[in-house]
Amino acid sequence: MSVDQFVATHLKVKHNSAGEVSITLPSNPNIQQPPPPDNSGTRITTELSRRGAKSIRGAVYLADKDHGGMVTFITATFDLEARERLASEETTIGAEVRRFLDAWRSRFRKKGKKPPVFIWVAENPNNSNPHVHILTNVKVEYRHFRTWARGLEKLWGNGTVHLEKLKYAKAAGRYLMKSIGYLAKGTNGSQGSVVGQRYGVSRNLKPKEQIDYIHVGIEGIIAYRKMITESCGQKLNDIYIHEYGMWAPPGFGIDQLLDWFFSNNFFKT
């Protein structure tokens, strides 16, 4: 089978250990692709990207599945001195968060305990109030909040630390997104400019990906293109249809998505 024949009869299925699945058309190596954008120089973002939001959703799913769930929500702020160091680019929010979380993990290791897992997002509303929201699976009793906050503030060394207990671990990702205005404003939110890394997840919360190709024949490709054309921008049975393909959220699973695709009305003439 030639490359052209393969591309004309197959779909690319990318799935991961968090149960996320995306289906797109495979690229044709015989067609020259445009060069990637130039990413040199200092990186500045003004919002959490859709890719970042997707990574966070997958991480929350794995945290709930394998690490007891994200049960504590932390907000760490930057005082005036720390903000001046950020403004002069002496440091970045990402660098400070990584230092803080590495030190926290180190404390657990020294006590012979399993290190916690984290998900974090930075924001800088009105470009004048940089702070970080952090999710973790560390359980803290209410009566110990002040003691923990004081200890974490010493470890953080940049300002105040505030703790909240999450009632529903499965909703942790949504709570985090809402806190930065992502759910309300999408990618047009006023999350502020951030230099360098804007979000991060623990290494063991990064889903392992796998790519497969399924044969659907020419009729399947026609049905797929029809679905994208007629339903782009819509959400069908929790499946998101966009201009590049379709995506199912964490926990959906590859079999369920493929069953839905092959049984939908787009195959009917």
Side-chain angles (χ1 to χ4, degrees):
M1 180 183 294
S2 69
V3 171
D4 290 338
Q5 289 174 325
F6 182 90
V7 171
T9 57
H10 286 73
L11 289 173
K12 179 180 178 180
V13 181
K14 182 186 291 186
H15 51 105
N16 63 31
S17 55
E20 291 176 283
V21 189
S22 66
I23 298 181
T24 58
L25 293 172
S27 58
N28 191 333
N30 293 332
I31 299 177
Q32 186 175 2
Q33 302 295 323
D38 183 9
N39 290 324
S40 60
T42 302
R43 184 187 179 195
I44 301 176
T45 59
T46 57
E47 61 201 12
L48 179 68
S49 64
R50 287 190 175 90
R51 180 179 180 181
K54 180 181 175 182
S55 296
I56 290 171
R57 291 189 190 100
V60 169
Y61 177 86
L62 289 181
D64 188 62
K65 175 174 173 285
D66 301 328
H67 301 276
M70 295 309 210
V71 293
T72 302
F73 182 83
I74 299 168
T75 299
T77 67
F78 290 86
D79 56 26
L80 181 59
E81 182 179 344
R83 292 180 190 184
E84 290 175 350
R85 292 192 294 116
L86 291 176
S88 65
E89 298 188 9
E90 178 183 339
T91 187
T92 63
I93 294 178
E96 293 302 308
V97 174
R98 290 191 298 272
R99 176 193 57 76
F100 172 60
L101 299 183
D102 285 346
W104 196 353
R105 292 188 191 97
S106 180
R107 286 191 174 185
F108 273 74
R109 293 191 184 99
K110 288 179 180 178
K111 295 180 180 179
K113 297 181 179 180
K114 184 178 180 181
V117 292
F118 302 99
I119 301 170
W120 65 270
V121 179
E123 65 171 332
N124 185 18
N126 301 316
N127 295 323
S128 61
N129 181 26
H131 56 274
V132 183
H133 299 295
I134 304 170
L135 291 173
T136 182
N137 63 335
V138 177
K139 295 181 180 179
V140 182
E141 297 295 331
Y142 281 121
R143 65 180 184 272
H144 298 314
F145 267 28
R146 289 187 179 181
T147 302
W148 269 78
R150 286 195 295 266
L152 291 177
E153 282 178 1
K154 291 180 180 179
L155 203 62
W156 173 237
N158 289 309
T160 62
V161 173
H162 175 74
L163 282 73
E164 293 179 51
K165 191 172 185 177
L166 296 180
K167 189 174 182 180
Y168 302 106
K170 290 185 178 180
R174 185 175 180 84
Y175 189 83
L176 178 62
M177 299 294 190
K178 188 176 180 180
S179 69
I180 63 171
Y182 185 90
L183 293 179
K185 304 165 188 173
T187 55
N188 294 317
S190 56
Q191 301 162 27
S193 298
V194 171
V195 176
Q197 189 176 356
R198 191 176 195 100
Y199 73 95
V201 303
S202 292
R203 188 175 302 172
N204 45 356
L205 293 183
K206 295 180 180 179
K208 297 179 181 178
E209 289 191 339
Q210 180 177 330
I211 294 177
D212 295 308
Y213 294 90
I214 57 172
H215 181 272
V216 296
I218 294 177
E219 296 82 3
I221 297 298
I222 293 174
Y224 174 86
R225 291 184 180 277
K226 180 182 179 183
M227 177 189 67
I228 299 301
T229 301
E230 296 183 4
S231 303
C232 184
Q234 297 183 33
K235 180 180 178 182
L236 306 175
N237 295 343
D238 291 327
I239 298 167
Y240 296 84
I241 313 299
H242 53 84
E243 60 180 313
Y244 302 109
M246 55 184 179
W247 173 78
F252 204 92
I254 184 171
D255 292 334
Q256 187 176 349
L257 178 57
L258 291 177
D259 287 344
W260 174 84
F261 173 66
F262 285 116
S263 63
N264 70 51
N265 292 327
F266 294 103
F267 278 93
K268 299 178 182 180
T269 57

